[in-house]
Amino acid sequence: MLSQHDAPIIAIATAPGRGAVGIVRVSGKKLAPWVQALCGRHLKPREATYLPIADAHGAPIDHVLALYFAGPHSYTGEDVLELQAHGGPVVLQLLLARCLAVAATQDAQAQALLPGLRLAQPGEFTQRAFLNHKLDLAQAEAVADLIDASTEAAARSASRSLAGAFSHEIHQLRDALIHLRMLVEATLDFPEEDIDFLKQADAQGQLTRLQEHLTRVMQKTRQGALLREGIRVVIAGQPNAGKSSLLNALAGTELAIVTPIAGTTRDVVQQTIQIEGVPLHVVDTAGLRDHPDVDEVERIGIARAWDQIGQADAVLFLHDLTRQGEAGYRDADALIQATLQDRVATHVPVLHLWNKADATTSKQATEHPTPANPAHALTLSAKTGEGLPALRQQLLDVVGWQGGSAEGLFMARERHVQALHQVDTHLMQANACLQAQVPALDLLAEELRLSQNALNNITGEFSSDDLLGVIFSSFCIGK
């Protein structure tokens, strides 16, 4: 649920722990009298003032830089005070307590200087910026995405969304949609007129151009969602196929223990890397096998491996080239392949990787060539790095990354992707209504209205309180 946003709020706006600078932030209406009482002087808006903040006995807690922003010219649209102090947790807590104490101090009329001042909830400052029309919902989400960005490309894309690049695209679609709706509604309102509003105004051409623009925005949005969410890649295969070595090679560091002993990896090991700015969450799992020597601990590890495989965006099925001549090994690989088909969704790509190319002699390669596999098959060496560049590129290809540069992309979330899919569906229905032998104008108008509602959900012009509550609850408290 959305929080009550009439009361003033306060929070420590910097991360927990020690630092050079820490910030205490306050937002509310009519803060000026309280600010003067706290700081002992009038503060000029948007101008930094160096001053001491004293405790109840007049002793200074700390010397701070005080910045006062009079609403609506502030981040939240309300009056805002920021105290930049030394970044010790005790100092910041003392400043926080002092702010609350001064707020409860009574003025000449026996009223509290700042009644109702309370600790902010997660994301409440940005929530107020949204509610006071300083940011739309897509921009507000970009604030959290910028903070959470795990790659440079993701940070730049989030910054573009925060600046309004994504919102601008949505507003262009909405404006074109509103204009088309106006023509359709006019035709419905004045059916007796001889003028065919829709043909004269080229309604079909407008709808076609709207769909083409939507397609371009959807493509960018899918790319932006990849930058934000990344790709969950799970390495699977029999013991000693080189799964842990492949994780280490992709990560560029020794993360997983590598030994020739079957069952060395007992649990899930994960590392996030990046390829062309796209985060890859690479997961190493226990070797998959059904053998009498498997103990209870390894059995649990294998069960967890299958759980991870079920959650993957892509699976790397690792085969050992040096053991292709062993009938038992080939049978075990076939069993894993059959189980993968049952457990992995059809849209999740499975890449077949033939590892240990460095240890395979030309004679072995001739006697036991790499089996004819479906698409997405590569030969590589986790030890020497042979084939890794091709693997990285193929991972990007199978999840739909367009390659090149992330320049010009904006950050997006899965809910944005789904909302645009809804718009696309409604516009296709609208097109069918318009092209019918006898155009169903009432149905056309309804499909266009539903399209606009789906667009408005992205920017928050039409959103439920429950949706807003979920979005802002994921923010840090000082934002």
Side-chain angles (χ1 to χ4, degrees), residues 68-115:
Y68 173 62
F69 303 88
H73 307 296
S74 69
Y75 178 70
T76 64
E78 303 172 331
D79 291 351
V80 171
L81 177 69
E82 287 192 357
L83 302 177
Q84 300 182 11
H86 293 93
V90 174
V91 172
L92 295 176
Q93 288 294 337
L94 289 173
L95 288 174
L96 184 71
R98 182 56 181 160
C99 289
L100 292 167
V102 173
T105 303
Q106 294 184 346
D107 58 16
Q109 287 75 39
Q111 295 180 342
L113 281 174
L114 193 59

Side-chain angles (χ1 to χ4, degrees), residues 201-279:
D202 188 24
Q204 181 63 65
Q206 289 190 44
L207 180 54
T208 300
R209 289 189 292 274
L210 182 58
Q211 289 179 293
E212 290 172 350
H213 187 188
L214 176 64
T215 298
R216 294 192 297 271
V217 174
M218 289 176 68
Q219 190 273 331
K220 282 188 175 183
T221 305
R222 284 191 292 268
Q223 300 297 288
L226 276 177
L227 281 179
R228 180 182 186 273
E229 306 291 346
I231 310 165
R232 186 172 184 81
V233 179
V234 176
I235 307 174
Q238 294 189 55
N240 291 340
K243 299 183 299 300
S244 297
S245 296
L246 180 58
L247 171 65
N248 292 342
L250 288 171
T253 186
E254 296 295 321
L255 294 172
I257 299 172
V258 177
T259 76
I261 302 172
T264 297
T265 301
R266 299 293 187 102
D267 207 347
V268 172
V269 180
Q270 178 173 319
Q271 176 70 10
T272 297
I273 63 175
Q274 60 169 305
I275 303 175
E276 292 187 16
V278 178

Side-chain angles (χ1 to χ4, degrees), residues 23 63 99 104 146 154 178 284 326 373 396 403 431 436:
I23 298 174
H63 284 71
C99 289
L146 182 58
I178 289 173
D284 178 26
E326 302 173 14
N373 281 301
L396 294 180
N431 193 43

Side-chain angles (χ1 to χ4, degrees), residues 5-33:
H5 56 272
D6 290 332
I9 53 174
I10 184 171
I12 297 172
T14 40
R18 299 168 58 190
V21 176
I23 298 174
V24 175
R25 176 179 290 162
V26 184
S27 179
K29 299 174 182 177
K30 300 179 180 179
L31 294 187

Side-chain angles (χ1 to χ4, degrees), residues 84-390:
Q84 300 182 11
H86 293 93
V90 174
V91 172
L92 295 176
Q93 288 294 337
L94 289 173
L95 288 174
L96 184 71
R98 182 56 181 160
C99 289
L100 292 167
V102 173
T105 303
Q106 294 184 346
D107 58 16
Q109 287 75 39
Q111 295 180 342
L113 281 174
L114 193 59
L117 179 63
R118 59 172 175 80
L119 296 177
Q121 297 178 11
E124 194 167 3
F125 288 96
T126 304
Q127 182 190 98
R128 292 193 178 195
F130 165 71
L131 294 173
N132 293 325
H133 309 293
K134 305 295 289 185
L135 301 170
D136 66 29
L137 191 56
Q139 289 175 295
E141 289 172 304
V143 173
D145 293 338
L146 182 58
I147 294 171
D148 294 337
S150 58
T151 68
E152 179 182 350
R156 291 183 181 278
S157 298
S159 182
R160 279 189 286 273
S161 287
L162 179 56
F166 184 33
S167 301
H168 177 69
E169 296 276 11
I170 299 303
H171 291 154
Q172 283 189 322
L173 289 170
R174 184 200 61 188
D175 291 345
L177 191 51
I178 289 173
H179 188 265
L180 186 55
R181 285 189 65 192
M182 178 185 67
L183 294 174
V184 175
E185 297 289 347
T187 304
L188 285 171
D189 289 342
F190 303 103
E192 70 281 356
E193 294 291 335
D194 293 331
I195 300 175
D196 189 340
F197 290 105
L198 297 183
K199 287 185 179 179
Q200 187 180 34
D202 188 24
Q204 181 63 65
Q206 289 190 44
L207 180 54
T208 300
R209 289 189 292 274
L210 182 58
Q211 289 179 293
E212 290 172 350
H213 187 188
L214 176 64
T215 298
R216 294 192 297 271
V217 174
M218 289 176 68
Q219 190 273 331
K220 282 188 175 183
T221 305
R222 284 191 292 268
Q223 300 297 288
L226 276 177
L227 281 179
R228 180 182 186 273
E229 306 291 346
I231 310 165
R232 186 172 184 81
V233 179
V234 176
I235 307 174
Q238 294 189 55
N240 291 340
K243 299 183 299 300
S244 297
S245 296
L246 180 58
L247 171 65
N248 292 342
L250 288 171
T253 186
E254 296 295 321
L255 294 172
I257 299 172
V258 177
T259 76
I261 302 172
T264 297
T265 301
R266 299 293 187 102
D267 207 347
V268 172
V269 180
Q270 178 173 319
Q271 176 70 10
T272 297
I273 63 175
Q274 60 169 305
I275 303 175
E276 292 187 16
V278 178
L280 257 70
H281 313 294
V282 186
V283 181
D284 178 26
T285 59
L288 304 175
R289 63 172 178 164
D290 185 8
H291 193 276
D293 293 341
V294 174
D295 58 28
E296 184 61 25
V297 175
E298 188 178 352
R299 201 181 312 278
I300 293 172
I302 293 172
R304 290 184 178 180
W306 283 115
D307 287 341
Q308 293 294 323
I309 290 168
Q311 302 171 31
D313 297 313
V315 177
L316 305 183
F317 186 4
L318 205 59
H319 308 270
D320 186 344
L321 274 174
T322 65
R323 287 189 278 170
Q324 284 307 305
E326 302 173 14
Y329 184 83
R330 292 197 304 271
D331 292 343
D333 260 6
L335 179 60
I336 294 173
Q337 174 67 20
T339 310
L340 283 173
Q341 291 176 348
D342 292 336
R343 297 206 182 197
V344 176
T346 54
H347 68 275
V348 175
V350 177
L351 281 68
H352 289 262
L353 308 180
W354 303 91
N355 189 29
K356 303 186 183 180
D358 60 291
T360 306
T361 66
S362 57
K363 181 179 179 182
Q364 286 176 315
T366 302
E367 294 176 350
H368 307 291
T370 302
N373 281 301
H376 316 318
L378 286 173
T379 299
L380 55 82
S381 169
K383 182 177 181 180
T384 66
E386 175 189 346
L388 290 185

